[in-house]
């Protein structure tokens, strides 16, 4: 599965949170999706030591997601 031809259809607020050493999905692929998304409200956070789901930074990522949604659901 790829996002080929789909990323450019993303227009909603977008938060991309990615562990750079993720063996399943490359940081380059994540950056490509982020760059191709047409969202004007988008954030990319790359963790140099993050695992696949960035669970090794759980407190920070959960806080980031909560803040992201709270800011947009006001």
């Amino acid at each position: 599965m790829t996002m080929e031809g789909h990323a450019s259809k993303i227009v909603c607020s977008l938060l991309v949170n990615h562990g750079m050493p993720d063996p399943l999905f490359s940081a380059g692929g994540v950056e490509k999706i982020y760059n191709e998304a047409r969202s004007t409200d988008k954030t990319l956070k790359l963790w140099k030591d993050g695992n696949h789901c960035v669970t090794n930074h759980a407190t920070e990522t959960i806080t980031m997601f909560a803040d992201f949604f709270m800011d947009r659901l006001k």
Side-chain angles (χ1 to χ4, degrees):
M1 180 178 172
T2 71
M3 291 295 291
E4 192 74 35
H6 299 287
S8 63
K9 297 176 186 175
I10 301 170
V11 295
C12 61
S13 297
L14 177 65
L15 172 59
V16 179
N17 191 40
H18 182 71
M20 292 181 71
D22 184 344
L24 302 176
F25 204 80
S26 72
V30 168
E31 290 177 302
K32 182 177 179 184
I33 291 169
Y34 176 82
N35 290 329
E36 289 179 5
R38 292 188 348 219
S39 305
T40 56
D41 174 23
K42 57 185 181 179
T43 302
L44 173 62
K45 173 64 177 170
L46 297 173
W47 298 85
K48 289 182 182 179
D49 64 339
N51 58 24
H52 176 64
C53 294
V54 197
T55 54
N56 58 321
H57 290 282
T59 301
E60 298 100 313
T61 57
I62 290 168
T63 301
M64 183 187 311
F65 287 127
D67 290 345
F68 182 84
F69 284 110
M70 288 297 295
D71 288 345
R72 284 146 187 89
L73 296 174
K74 289 180 182 175

